[in-house]
Amino acid sequence: MKGIFTALMCSFDEKGQINEKGLREIVRYNIDQSKVDGLYVNGSTGENFLISTEQKKRIFEIVKDEAKEQVKLIAQVGSLNIEEAVELAQFATDLKYDAISAVTPFYYKFDFEEIKDYYNTILENVDNQMIIYSIPALTGVSMNLDQFGELFENEKIIGVKFTAPDFFLLERLRHAYPEKLIYSSFDEMLLSASVLNVDGAIGSTFNVNGHRAKQIFELAQNGQIAEAREIQKVTNDLIADILENGLYQTIKEILKLKGVDAGICRKPMKTLTDEKIEKAKQIAERYL
Ligand code: HMN
């Protein structure tokens, strides 16, 4: 379960329906071209919070059918509707996903006891291992070292996807829980997190830049920091341009230039203007 995991995109058509052929091509590109170690399915990058339960299930099925046992698969099942979270967790477990993950419950200001109950409830109903998905900037939910420790008391919780620029907390977590899996999740901070000995990383830009993420991670593990810094620099030039042009839309556009039918983003995400499509082309030509 260690290494570089792509936060998988999903291909959608103009009607917002899953483009199965396109999704299969995205899976193949990540496995065959970028050679990532795993896929994180139905995360933010998969537009998970914009789609129906049936669509989430179908995506789990298609990805498993395409990837088979070739890479590790993590199913993100988190939902404010706890029955949906349990249903998806059971569904992905039946499909033999290697682990499930759930975003911390958001929108309402849940206290820590409620958050803990959410994870324990999902896990009481499913025979699988869980990776907490912590992304305070989007959920408003920040947990401290002790609270992570309390969640980790449940042995089925095997790790955390740590999506925050808090390197103090990241170092404390690494030190306090050497046996838990910690995935760094801001791609622009991969090297810094790797130096702190994270077990892997999960990221959106790995859909097109997974090969560089693998290099950064492996070089850092070998102590080749200067070399890793060079690759992180190019990576961050790329990420800065992608973020400026529109994150998920630009990644999809770049995939299309690589011959992958990545489709468009679901509403209310907008589509790229012609000018931005041209810019995406320039980004691809410059870096990929
Ligand atoms: C997911 O759930 O899809 C991703 O793991 C989320 C991941 O942390 C990405 N965050 C967001 O998209 C909000 C990052 O890969 C991020 O896109 C990247 O570092 C660029 O800022």
Side-chain angles (χ1 to χ4, degrees):
M1 292 296 290
K2 298 187 179 188
I4 296 298
F5 282 66
T6 298
L8 197 72
M9 309 221 96
C10 181
S11 179
F12 295 105
D13 64 22
E14 290 76 13
K15 291 189 177 139
Q17 300 303 314
I18 299 164
N19 169 356
E20 178 172 339
K21 171 180 163 286
L23 176 55
R24 286 181 184 275
E25 288 176 10
I26 296 174
V27 171
R28 288 263 57 90
Y29 188 81
N30 274 288
I31 297 176
D32 301 336
Q33 303 296 320
S34 303
K35 302 197 182 333
V36 296
D37 303 296
L39 303 174
Y40 187 84
V41 186
N42 282 341
S44 318
T45 310
E47 299 167 61
N48 173 74
F49 303 103
L50 306 178
I51 61 179
S52 69
T53 310
E54 286 317 306
Q55 286 175 312
K56 292 174 192 178
K57 287 183 172 177
R58 188 69 195 123
I59 291 168
F60 285 142
E61 280 176 341
I62 295 168
V63 174
K64 178 66 189 182
D65 186 60
E66 188 60 46
K68 306 221 160 42
E69 313 293 320
Q70 294 171 17
V71 292
K72 296 287 182 194
L73 296 178
I74 302 174
Q76 198 293 124
V77 301
S79 171
L80 286 184
N81 176 336
I82 200 150
E83 283 88 15
E84 186 197 37
V86 168
E87 186 180 334
L88 292 170
Q90 289 170 341
F91 189 82
T93 300
D94 289 346
L95 286 173
K96 302 214 170 357
Y97 271 66
D98 299 284
I100 53 170
S101 178
V103 69
T104 53
F106 52 93
Y107 189 79
Y108 301 101
K109 301 278 178 211
F110 298 106
D111 67 25
F112 180 67
E113 286 310 308
E114 291 168 323
I115 294 171
K116 199 167 127 182
D117 183 57
Y118 164 88
Y119 284 107
N120 291 338
T121 302
I122 297 173
L123 286 170
E124 274 160 23
N125 286 286
V126 63
D127 185 19
N128 206 339
Q129 41 194 10
M130 163 74 78
I131 292 154
I132 298 162
Y133 179 5
S134 174
I135 181 162
L138 293 187
T139 58
V141 179
S142 294
M143 291 185 289
N144 61 34
L145 185 65
D146 292 341
Q147 290 172 330
F148 277 111
E150 249 187 270
L151 294 179
F152 285 156
E153 280 171 17
N154 184 332
E155 284 180 3
K156 287 164 105 178
I157 299 187
I158 57 163
V160 56
K161 167 168 150 26
F162 186 89
T163 315
D166 185 341
F167 285 92
F168 183 30
L169 179 56
L170 180 58
E171 187 281 333
R172 295 288 80 192
L173 276 169
R174 174 69 303 164
H175 184 78
Y177 305 107
E179 74 292 357
K180 298 289 181 184
L181 292 168
I182 302 180
Y183 300 92
S184 154
S185 201
F186 272 127
D187 315 354
E188 46 278 51
M189 301 172 198
L190 174 58
L191 173 57
S192 317
S194 302
V195 169
L196 289 178
N197 209 18
V198 293
D199 299 288
I202 300 169
S204 65
T205 62
F206 304 166
N207 280 281
V208 291
N209 198 44
H211 59 295
R212 286 204 186 94
K214 281 207 65 132
Q215 288 173 331
I216 293 168
F217 187 61
E218 282 162 17
L219 286 167
Q221 284 187 319
N222 291 336
Q224 294 172 267
I225 303 303
E227 291 89 337
R229 205 158 46 212
E230 287 300 308
I231 302 172
Q232 185 74 67
K233 195 256 169 206
V234 182
T235 289
N236 286 2
D237 289 344
L238 166 68
I239 293 176
D241 281 358
I242 288 179
L243 287 174
E244 194 187 325
N245 205 51
L247 176 61
Y248 302 137
Q249 294 90 337
T250 303
I251 295 174
K252 287 191 176 182
E253 207 54 46
I254 294 172
L255 281 170
K256 283 186 220 165
L257 294 165
K258 300 284 173 191
V260 176
D261 186 8
I264 54 173
C265 292
R266 274 179 61 93
K267 284 178 191 271
M269 288 194 196
K270 54 191 178 199
T271 50
L272 293 183
T273 60
D274 288 347
E275 198 185 322
K276 290 199 168 202
I277 290 174
E278 181 53 33
K279 177 74 185 166
K281 200 170 158 196
Q282 289 166 11
I283 295 172
E285 278 164 6
R286 191 171 315 146
Y287 303 108
L288 294 162

